[in-house]
Amino acid sequence: AVADINDNAVRSEGAGYGFSVGASWEPDFWGRISAGILAAEADLKASEADLQAAELSLAASTAISWYQLKEAVLQQALAVETLSARERTLQLTERRFRKGLTAALDVRLARSAVETAKAQLSAQKRATGEARRAIEVLLGRYPSNELTVSETFLQLPDLEGAGDPTSLLARRPDIAAAEARIAAAGFRVETARLALKPSLKLSASLFSSNDDIADLLDPSYLAGQIAASLTAPLYNGGRLKANIEAADAQAKITSARYVSTVLTAWQEVENAIAADALLAEQLESQLRAQEEAQLAENLAERQYQGGLSTIFNLIDSQTRRINADSSVISAQSARAINRVRFHLALGGELPQAKALATSLSGDMTNE
């Protein structure tokens, strides 16, 4: 049953202060009001789950931004090293030119490579600054480009599976929110259906001024203010039936969204698991390519110094080694970011996901 009581002080014309009292009571014969309360409680659970999902998403976004900053810092360090290598090549070329061992074309090409490296360094500094400011905003700091990070990535253990799909449904806050919304939609259908039933509402009201306070003690006066009415719903244009149809349609939409949420969750987990294995293979190949590119650059430099190779071969070998270094950095970053996404897809509850979260927290705290 639902009860409502109103008590208001009023001023009566020429009679000082008085008050009015109103009360109503409706017994919940059919459970309509209870269904409405249960729907509201389910909405509350959905909102709480939405908050958990938002917190988890924010944590993941911060971790991803952190790894993107690490990548940018490493790429900037590589750009600095690239400029240094190009300048050494230019110095070597100019010495050979002064000795008459090479043509002016080689000097021009070496100078062009130096200026290109300078331009790439400037671009990378800009990217690093933007990455720093992005994570500073996520951390609630003024974006001053002052955050520092180490130039290393975490050593990632082998990735374990996501486990039983049923346990995934229990971990994901977005799935919990979708489930709560299904429950709320069902209760609203029930509320709309029960609105077709008759309802009984009792109401009473009382007004008194300070000149007529004695009326408050008169039982006949009070009884005269109480009215009991038994009402049945009016089918004006089928409004109540239309409400039932609308609630039922909304429940079907909510159910479809739940299915979509569950399928998306499984897709995200499977994508992260598959990507981790492929990224590990990619990183291994990139490391081998990096090693071979470094050896090729060393060989090309020795041959150029001995007059057995051209400046084109040297610059090309340097470029290949630089690209290989950059690819290794990108592969490391991509694999770390994929682990964060795996953690997010799982709902952050598996032991290995918690271990990753702990490592991330320690990594950021130490820096």
Side-chain angles (χ1 to χ4, degrees):
V2 173
D4 180 41
I5 299 177
N6 295 313
D7 187 358
N8 298 302
V10 298
R11 179 183 291 274
S12 178
E13 184 68 26
Y17 285 94
F19 62 88
S20 66
V21 177
S24 64
W25 177 69
E26 180 182 356
D28 191 18
F29 287 130
W30 316 110
R32 178 181 60 84
I33 296 173
S34 298
I37 293 173
L38 291 173
E41 291 176 347
D43 284 336
L44 175 60
K45 291 180 180 179
S47 297
E48 291 172 344
D50 285 338
L51 175 60
Q52 294 175 2
E55 290 174 345
L56 185 61
S57 178
L58 178 59
S61 297
T62 304
I64 289 173
S65 295
W66 187 257
Y67 280 127
Q68 289 173 339
L69 174 57
K70 279 180 175 287
E71 180 182 2
V73 168
L74 285 169
Q75 295 287 5
Q76 180 175 325
L78 176 60
V80 171
E81 193 278 330
T82 298
L83 176 59
S84 177
R86 298 301 197 191
E87 288 175 340
R88 289 196 304 269
T89 300
L90 175 60
Q91 292 171 0
L92 173 62
T93 304
E94 288 176 338
R95 286 198 303 269
R96 288 176 55 80
F97 176 72
R98 286 192 295 268
K99 293 178 181 180
L101 300 176
T102 190
L105 175 61
D106 289 7
V107 177
R108 297 296 182 187
L109 290 172
R111 288 176 180 175
S112 175
V114 168
E115 295 305 319
T116 299
K118 288 181 179 179
Q120 292 173 342
L121 177 58
S122 297
Q124 191 56 51
K125 286 181 177 179
R126 176 180 58 81
T128 303
E130 291 176 353
R132 279 199 178 96
R133 285 185 283 269
I135 194 171
E136 284 171 343
V137 170
L138 286 173
L139 295 175
R141 304 180 185 179
Y142 180 81
S144 56
N145 188 20
E146 296 179 350
L147 193 64
T148 59
V149 300
S150 66
E151 298 181 4
T152 58
F153 282 97
L154 292 174
Q155 295 297 320
L156 298 177
D158 293 336
L159 184 62
E160 299 180 12
D164 192 300
T166 304
S167 63
L168 175 62
L169 300 183
R171 292 192 303 267
R172 293 264 302 214
D174 58 339
I175 294 179
E179 289 176 345
R181 289 192 171 92
I182 287 179
F187 287 128
R188 288 196 172 89
V189 172
E190 183 69 5
T191 300
R193 185 183 65 81
L194 292 175
L196 293 171
K197 302 289 186 179
S199 63
L200 175 64
K201 180 177 290 187
L202 303 177
S203 62
S205 62
L206 173 67
F207 173 81
S208 177
S209 69
N210 56 0
D211 292 335
D212 200 17
I213 193 68
D215 287 342
L216 292 173
L217 306 177
D218 186 353
S220 62
Y221 180 84
L222 293 174
Q225 303 304 313
I226 299 175
S229 60
L230 184 63
T231 62
L234 301 177
Y235 298 90
N236 296 329
R239 177 178 59 85
L240 296 179
K241 289 185 177 180
N243 288 342
I244 296 175
E245 293 176 358
D248 185 63
Q250 185 61 45
K252 291 179 180 178
I253 293 174
T254 304
S255 298
R257 288 174 179 169
Y258 171 77
V259 172
S260 177
T261 301
V262 171
L263 292 176
T264 299
W266 287 337
Q267 177 190 19
E268 290 172 352
V269 172
E270 293 297 333
N271 284 346
I273 293 174
D276 186 79
L278 295 174
L279 286 169
E281 293 178 4
Q282 178 184 344
L283 178 58
E284 184 178 354
S285 297
Q286 291 291 354
L287 288 171
R288 289 196 297 267
Q290 181 188 45
E291 181 181 4
E292 294 297 332
Q294 182 64 64
L295 294 173
E297 180 186 6
N298 295 339
L299 179 60
E301 186 171 352
R302 290 196 301 270
Q303 289 181 345
Y304 181 70
Q305 289 175 338
L308 302 176
S309 181
T310 66
I311 189 67
F312 296 100
N313 291 335
L314 177 56
I315 291 178
D316 179 67
S317 64
Q318 283 182 341
T319 301
R320 290 179 181 276
R321 192 266 307 164
I322 293 166
N323 290 339
D325 289 346
S326 179
S327 296
V328 167
I329 294 170
S330 297
Q332 290 174 328
S333 176
R335 193 174 182 214
I337 289 173
N338 183 68
R339 284 296 179 92
V340 176
R341 289 177 175 149
F342 178 65
H343 170 84
L344 178 62
L346 293 176
E349 292 297 331
L350 285 188
Q352 60 266 35
K354 289 183 177 179
L356 174 59
T358 301
S359 298
L360 285 171
S361 177
D363 190 26
M364 297 179 70
T365 301
N366 293 334
E367 296 177 5

